[in-house]
Every structure is written in C-alpha cells, then in structure tokens.
Amino acid sequence: MKATIITMLLTAIICMVYSCQSEDQIEYMRYYTAGQDLYKTKCQNCHGAQGEGLAALIPPLTDSIYLKANSNKLACYVQNGLQLPILVKGKAFNGQMPPAGLSPIEIAQVLTYVKNSFGNNMGLYNVEKANQDLINCN
Amino acid sequence: MKFTLLSACALLLWSSCSFNDKINAVLPIYGSREPVTKTVNGKQVTDTVYQTIPDFEFVNQYGKTINRKSLDGSIYVADFFFTSCPSICPIMHRNMLKVYETFKNAANVKILSHSIDPNHDSVPVLKNYADKLGVTGDTWWFLQGKKESTYKLAESYLVAVQEDSKAAGGFVHSGYFILIDKQKRIRGTYDGTKPEDADKLIADIKTLQNEPQSMIAQ
C-alpha cells in the first residue's frame, strides 16, 4: 500500500517535471524559430547564413567564448549598433554595425537564435533578460 | 558481345551529351546591336556591331588611374557598391570573393568594383576595404571617380544606380555582377546576392576563357 502511494507520487512528480520541461522547450522553440526569420532579414546579409562573417570586415558569430563573455551586452549591440573595435576569434574588427531596428522581444528572439546556432549552445534568452540588459546600455 | 554493344551505346550517349554541352557553352551577347554594311574587296558585307562599354577613367585602391585600355585583353566582372553599405554589399562581396579566389592567379581575368559613394570612399578607404577582404595584387580593383561618370557607366552596364536618402545607407543600387568579354561586350548578368549565381559566373568566365579566337576577332 505504502509502496503504491510512493510510486504514484513519484510518477506525479516525474510527470510535472517533464511537462514543465517541455513547456520551456516550447518557449525556447518559439523564440528560436522567430529569431531564425529575423536573422535572415536583419543579420544574414552581413554575418552570413552560417554566421561566418566576412573576412576582416564583418565579425563571425561563431566565437562562443566572445558571446559568453559579452552575453549581457549583445542586446545593446543589436539595438544601438556597434562602433567600438571588438576582438573576435583573435581578430580585431573596427567597422560599424548599424542599429537593427528591432523591438526588445525581437532582440530576445534573434539572440536566442544566434546563441544556439553556428556551434553556440547558450539556451533561451527571453524578453525579461533582454529588457534587463537593455536598461544598462550606454 | 552484349557487353561491347552496351558499352558502345553508353559511349555514344555520353559523347552526344558532351556535344550538347559545347553548343550551350556559347554565351549570349547583350545590349543593342546594329548591322553595318561595308564594301570589302568589291563585295558588300554586312556585319553586326555590338554594344560595347564606353571609355572611362577611375582611380583604383592603389591610387593608379584605370581606364578602358587597362582592361585590354581581359575578361572582367563589374559591380557597384560602397564600403559603408549596410544592405546587400557584404553578401555581394562574400560571393565575389569566391570568384576572386578562383581567378586571382589568372592574368586575363579582372574584377572591377565601382564605388557609388566617392565622397566617402577615398583611395585610402578603398585600400583599407580591400585589405580587410584579403584582396591583394591587381586582379580585383576597387574604383572611385566622379559620381556622374560612375552613374553614367552603370547605365552602359544596364545597371540601375541612384542616390536615395530614404534607402539604407543613402543609395539604391542593384546587386548585379556584369560579365564583360575581351571585346568589352556584355556577356552575362548575375544576381550578386545569390551564391548559385556566383557559381554560374565562375563557370561562364571559364567558358569565355576558352572561347576560340575566331569568335573574338570582330
């Protein structure tokens, strides 16, 4: 009897955890696919279909170490553009990136896509995080 | 016996295919044309005169003057861009890089990228751009000159270029690559924003390189 109850409880807990996870998964996929479309129209011309960039003119998006280290600055870069020289994959880039003209939710979507494509694996970047990061833009 | 027959058939099929390839391999000549009748050795001969690219004079990324004569004996590809272009230029030059990598050691192939924003794209700016693309030597020239002459030249390449304060970056231009043969005739146009068009361009340049001299003599 006791064993049955424990088993039932355990099953219930497993089910709850599992359904929670899949909801996260659905949210992540929603961000990712919307971000993929935005990437194609707003970023791909310069950064390339594989995030490969262009020679020493346009930085690639494949440097996971750079993306992790600058994770909370990326939203500002997308919103306001970037003029500072940056060091990506050991190479200096000092061109200008124009502002992308995206809303905070779109920034979160496109960054979720970038952070989980081209060999990057950084998980969901939701609009709450984007809003937090955007407050701290210079 | 059966085997011999089969292989003979296969050979026949294969050779007929390659024969067709050769027929398709002649590139069309674009632009307006007019018949010209002249008298040669007392006989009336009618010949077709094709539209050719008019003379121009620009400065390349090394500060050297480049004109129509600089391209004598060369097949070349032309496009129009500006270094601060936020829209289609990066993708065009990502594709053009493939063309450059294929022909950078060929003496008779050149690439001409005309800046449509000469006020910003000075010679040092163009040199810097070329350096960053990894372009060296004299295969790929980045040219600047008077705005009006660049825009007028674009017309003879059948390409539209114009200033527009509403467009991203301040200019609208089509992203076409134009292929010009040794007689300065237009032989192909390619959408510079499509990787597959760049592959077609590379194939067509090879076709032009192999074009027999008798066809070249006009």
Side-chain angles (χ1 to χ4, degrees):
Chain A
M1 184 60 197
K2 229 183 196 171
T4 327
I5 290 172
I6 289 171
T7 319
M8 273 170 71
L9 265 174
L10 263 175
T11 318
I13 288 168
I14 288 167
C15 276
M16 273 164 75
V17 168
Y18 184 74
S19 64
C20 281
Q21 260 182 352
S22 69
E23 216 160 272
D24 281 353
Q25 194 65 27
I26 287 165
E27 200 194 3
Y28 164 78
M29 281 316 292
R30 215 179 275 144
Y31 271 81
Y32 185 90
T33 41
Q36 187 169 32
D37 287 344
L38 288 167
Y39 183 84
K40 273 185 198 151
T41 53
K42 295 283 183 179
C43 319
Q44 188 167 307
N45 274 345
C46 291
H47 289 289
Q50 265 76 50
E52 72 270 32
L54 178 59
L57 282 170
I58 295 158
L61 303 173
T62 52
D63 186 345
S64 297
I65 297 164
Y66 174 87
L67 291 181
K68 272 194 189 127
N70 296 278
S71 184
N72 48 13
K73 293 187 201 150
L74 299 177
C76 297
Y77 294 168
V78 175
Q79 185 184 57
N80 304 327
L82 183 62
Q83 276 158 38
L84 293 171
I86 55 169
L87 202 67
V88 178
K89 288 227 158 162
K91 271 199 273 182
F93 291 87
N94 50 18
Q96 283 191 15
M97 174 164 125
L102 296 174
S103 65
I105 176 77
E106 289 173 320
I107 291 172
Q109 288 163 341
V110 83
L111 282 178
T112 297
Y113 177 71
V114 169
K115 287 174 164 192
N116 294 283
S117 306
F118 323 130
N120 306 314
N121 185 13
M122 296 165 68
L124 173 70
Y125 179 79
N126 62 21
V127 67
E128 286 78 23
K129 280 190 212 154
N131 278 325
Q132 238 171 48
D133 289 343
L134 287 170
I135 291 170
N136 300 318
C137 292
N138 306 321
Chain B
M1 181 59 203
K2 231 182 201 170
F3 178 74
T4 327
L5 212 70
L6 258 176
S7 44
C9 280
L11 203 71
L12 213 70
L13 266 171
W14 177 75
S15 62
S16 67
C17 281
S18 58
F19 178 66
N20 280 338
D21 274 354
K22 265 181 199 149
I23 287 179
N24 292 334
V26 177
L27 301 180
I29 299 167
Y30 294 96
S32 57
R33 58 188 67 183
E34 49 184 311
V36 172
T37 310
K38 13 176 205 196
T39 314
V40 181
N41 300 333
K43 268 195 254 169
Q44 290 257 307
V45 179
T46 304
D47 212 347
T48 312
V49 172
Y50 293 96
Q51 180 182 332
T52 58
I53 299 306
D55 199 9
F56 56 80
E57 194 174 293
F58 296 111
V59 177
N60 71 5
Q61 73 264 38
Y62 306 113
K64 215 182 131 205
T65 301
I66 301 299
N67 56 27
R68 197 174 186 263
K69 270 201 114 86
S70 319
L71 294 152
D72 280 352
S74 288
I75 297 159
Y76 71 96
V77 184
D79 75 352
F80 295 83
F81 86 114
F82 55 111
T83 60
S84 54
C85 166
S87 53
I88 57 175
C89 306
I91 191 165
M92 283 167 68
H93 282 175
R94 182 180 298 120
N95 290 331
M96 192 69 100
L97 261 182
K98 270 205 286 189
V99 181
Y100 168 75
E101 293 295 335
T102 312
F103 296 106
K104 64 181 173 187
N105 296 321
N108 63 353
V109 178
K110 293 208 181 297
I111 302 168
L112 270 60
S113 287
H114 298 270
S115 169
I116 56 172
D117 184 13
N119 291 340
H120 177 265
D121 292 343
S122 59
V123 169
V125 169
L126 291 176
K127 177 69 168 59
N128 187 38
Y129 183 86
D131 287 347
K132 291 199 164 171
L133 263 183
V135 173
T136 54
D138 273 308
T139 299
W140 192 347
W141 287 330
F142 298 87
L143 303 175
Q144 68 107 259
K146 278 207 194 91
K147 205 180 253 181
E148 306 81 61
S149 21
T150 304
Y151 287 25
K152 229 182 127 211
L153 182 69
E155 273 172 41
S156 55
Y157 286 127
L158 314 172
V159 175
V161 176
Q162 75 187 94
E163 252 177 289
D164 182 352
S165 53
K166 277 173 258 157
F171 298 90
V172 280
H173 63 119
S174 51
Y176 278 97
F177 296 159
I178 329 298
L179 176 59
I180 311 290
D181 68 12
K182 291 181 181 172
Q183 290 70 55
K184 319 213 191 287
R185 301 171 305 188
I186 302 169
R187 300 301 293 274
T189 56
Y190 310 83
D191 186 342
T193 61
K194 293 195 178 128
E196 61 272 20
D197 270 40
D199 294 336
K200 171 120 200 328
L201 171 57
I202 290 169
D204 285 356
I205 292 174
K206 288 180 181 159
T207 305
L208 275 190
Q209 282 181 316
N210 294 329
E211 199 162 72
Q213 291 296 316
S214 60
M215 290 184 70
I216 289 171
Q218 278 262 346

Tab-separated table of all heavy atoms in Angstrom, chain A residues 3 8 12 15 17 19 26-28 35 48 62 70-71 78 80 84 88 96 114 121 132:
chain	number	residue	atom	x	y	z
A	3	ALA	N	3.937	1.403	-0.691
A	3	ALA	CA	4.757	1.400	-1.923
A	3	ALA	C	3.980	1.964	-3.099
A	3	ALA	O	4.510	2.754	-3.898
A	3	ALA	CB	5.213	-0.025	-2.228
A	8	MET	N	3.001	6.259	-6.961
A	8	MET	CA	2.094	7.218	-7.592
A	8	MET	C	2.625	8.644	-7.463
A	8	MET	O	2.611	9.434	-8.404
A	8	MET	CB	0.685	7.115	-6.976
A	8	MET	CG	-0.193	6.062	-7.652
A	8	MET	SD	-1.711	5.770	-6.754
A	8	MET	CE	-2.603	7.282	-7.067
A	12	ALA	N	3.743	11.167	-10.352
A	12	ALA	CA	3.170	12.512	-10.483
A	12	ALA	C	4.285	13.566	-10.592
A	12	ALA	O	4.242	14.470	-11.432
A	12	ALA	CB	2.276	12.815	-9.305
A	15	CYS	N	5.988	13.380	-13.885
A	15	CYS	CA	5.113	13.969	-14.900
A	15	CYS	C	5.189	15.489	-14.860
A	15	CYS	O	5.294	16.162	-15.892
A	15	CYS	CB	3.657	13.548	-14.662
A	15	CYS	SG	3.301	11.955	-15.374
A	17	VAL	N	7.558	17.466	-13.626
A	17	VAL	CA	8.873	17.935	-14.080
A	17	VAL	C	8.953	17.866	-15.603
A	17	VAL	O	9.377	18.807	-16.260
A	17	VAL	CB	10.003	17.087	-13.445
A	17	VAL	CG1	11.340	17.363	-14.114
A	17	VAL	CG2	10.092	17.388	-11.947
A	19	SER	N	6.492	17.824	-17.845
A	19	SER	CA	5.632	18.773	-18.548
A	19	SER	C	6.209	20.183	-18.450
A	19	SER	O	6.128	20.964	-19.384
A	19	SER	CB	4.207	18.728	-18.016
A	19	SER	OG	4.189	19.146	-16.671
A	26	ILE	N	9.051	24.364	-25.456
A	26	ILE	CA	8.175	25.018	-26.440
A	26	ILE	C	8.487	26.512	-26.520
A	26	ILE	O	8.579	27.090	-27.602
A	26	ILE	CB	6.679	24.794	-26.074
A	26	ILE	CG1	6.298	23.340	-26.371
A	26	ILE	CG2	5.768	25.736	-26.848
A	26	ILE	CD1	4.998	22.905	-25.746
A	27	GLU	N	8.707	27.130	-25.359
A	27	GLU	CA	9.023	28.562	-25.341
A	27	GLU	C	10.339	28.828	-26.085
A	27	GLU	O	10.455	29.750	-26.889
A	27	GLU	CB	9.122	29.068	-23.897
A	27	GLU	CG	8.963	30.576	-23.838
A	27	GLU	CD	9.374	31.177	-22.500
A	27	GLU	OE1	9.834	30.428	-21.620
A	27	GLU	OE2	9.242	32.402	-22.369
A	28	TYR	N	11.300	27.951	-25.800
A	28	TYR	CA	12.600	28.082	-26.464
A	28	TYR	C	12.444	27.987	-27.983
A	28	TYR	O	12.970	28.812	-28.734
A	28	TYR	CB	13.555	26.999	-25.946
A	28	TYR	CG	14.773	26.784	-26.812
A	28	TYR	CD1	15.840	27.675	-26.756
A	28	TYR	CD2	14.855	25.709	-27.687
A	28	TYR	CE1	16.954	27.495	-27.552
A	28	TYR	CE2	15.959	25.523	-28.492
A	28	TYR	CZ	17.012	26.413	-28.418
A	28	TYR	OH	18.097	26.239	-29.217
A	35	GLY	N	13.336	33.907	-34.162
A	35	GLY	CA	14.665	34.511	-34.291
A	35	GLY	C	15.328	34.152	-35.598
A	35	GLY	O	16.033	34.969	-36.202
A	48	GLY	N	26.228	36.388	-42.597
A	48	GLY	CA	26.264	35.137	-43.338
A	48	GLY	C	25.308	34.079	-42.833
A	48	GLY	O	24.898	34.095	-41.671
A	62	THR	N	30.527	32.904	-34.553
A	62	THR	CA	30.843	31.530	-34.170
A	62	THR	C	31.767	31.464	-32.953
A	62	THR	O	32.167	30.386	-32.546
A	62	THR	CB	31.536	30.816	-35.339
A	62	THR	OG1	32.637	31.635	-35.763
A	62	THR	CG2	30.598	30.630	-36.516
A	70	ASN	N	30.447	38.347	-23.404
A	70	ASN	CA	29.747	39.612	-23.630
A	70	ASN	C	28.234	39.427	-23.683
A	70	ASN	O	27.517	40.258	-24.227
A	70	ASN	CB	30.232	40.242	-24.927
A	70	ASN	CG	31.703	40.616	-24.844
A	70	ASN	OD1	32.049	41.662	-24.317
A	70	ASN	ND2	32.566	39.734	-25.322
A	71	SER	N	27.786	38.338	-23.083
A	71	SER	CA	26.389	37.925	-23.190
A	71	SER	C	25.397	39.054	-22.893
A	71	SER	O	24.434	39.244	-23.613
A	71	SER	CB	26.146	36.755	-22.249
A	71	SER	OG	24.841	36.305	-22.405
A	78	VAL	N	22.721	44.955	-30.669
A	78	VAL	CA	21.686	44.767	-31.697
A	78	VAL	C	20.794	46.008	-31.769
A	78	VAL	O	20.478	46.503	-32.842
A	78	VAL	CB	20.829	43.511	-31.399
A	78	VAL	CG1	19.688	43.384	-32.401
A	78	VAL	CG2	21.703	42.253	-31.427
A	80	ASN	N	21.408	49.247	-30.673
A	80	ASN	CA	22.010	50.551	-30.971
A	80	ASN	C	23.119	50.496	-32.011
A	80	ASN	O	23.697	51.519	-32.361
A	80	ASN	CB	22.574	51.163	-29.688
A	80	ASN	CG	21.505	51.283	-28.612
A	80	ASN	OD1	20.345	51.513	-28.928
A	80	ASN	ND2	21.885	51.096	-27.369
A	84	LEU	N	32.526	50.481	-31.457
A	84	LEU	CA	33.808	50.204	-30.806
A	84	LEU	C	34.533	49.095	-31.538
A	84	LEU	O	33.900	48.211	-32.099
A	84	LEU	CB	33.565	49.750	-29.362
A	84	LEU	CG	32.993	50.775	-28.406
A	84	LEU	CD1	32.609	50.088	-27.114
A	84	LEU	CD2	34.011	51.862	-28.140
A	88	VAL	N	37.252	39.431	-31.941
A	88	VAL	CA	36.501	38.188	-32.101
A	88	VAL	C	37.395	37.162	-32.772
A	88	VAL	O	38.013	37.450	-33.800
A	88	VAL	CB	35.229	38.406	-32.951
A	88	VAL	CG1	34.482	37.108	-33.157
A	88	VAL	CG2	34.324	39.428	-32.293
A	96	GLN	N	31.633	49.466	-38.570
A	96	GLN	CA	30.445	49.909	-37.853
A	96	GLN	C	29.292	48.970	-38.126
A	96	GLN	O	29.046	48.616	-39.263
A	96	GLN	CB	30.039	51.297	-38.330
A	96	GLN	CG	30.902	52.386	-37.754
A	96	GLN	CD	30.315	53.748	-38.041
A	96	GLN	OE1	29.156	53.875	-38.423
A	96	GLN	NE2	31.123	54.774	-37.855
A	114	VAL	N	20.879	33.222	-32.421
A	114	VAL	CA	22.340	33.318	-32.592
A	114	VAL	C	23.076	32.522	-31.514
A	114	VAL	O	24.045	31.820	-31.800
A	114	VAL	CB	22.784	34.803	-32.564
A	114	VAL	CG1	24.303	34.916	-32.457
A	114	VAL	CG2	22.286	35.523	-33.811
A	121	ASN	N	25.758	27.219	-27.930
A	121	ASN	CA	24.742	26.469	-27.209
A	121	ASN	C	24.521	27.118	-25.846
A	121	ASN	O	25.028	26.672	-24.841
A	121	ASN	CB	25.200	25.014	-27.059
A	121	ASN	CG	24.128	24.157	-26.421
A	121	ASN	OD1	22.976	24.585	-26.312
A	121	ASN	ND2	24.504	22.973	-25.982
A	132	GLN	N	16.237	43.600	-19.155
A	132	GLN	CA	17.229	43.867	-18.112
A	132	GLN	C	18.526	44.402	-18.710
A	132	GLN	O	19.068	45.405	-18.261
A	132	GLN	CB	17.530	42.546	-17.400
A	132	GLN	CG	17.272	42.548	-15.917
A	132	GLN	CD	17.403	41.127	-15.411
A	132	GLN	OE1	18.374	40.431	-15.728
A	132	GLN	NE2	16.411	40.671	-14.671
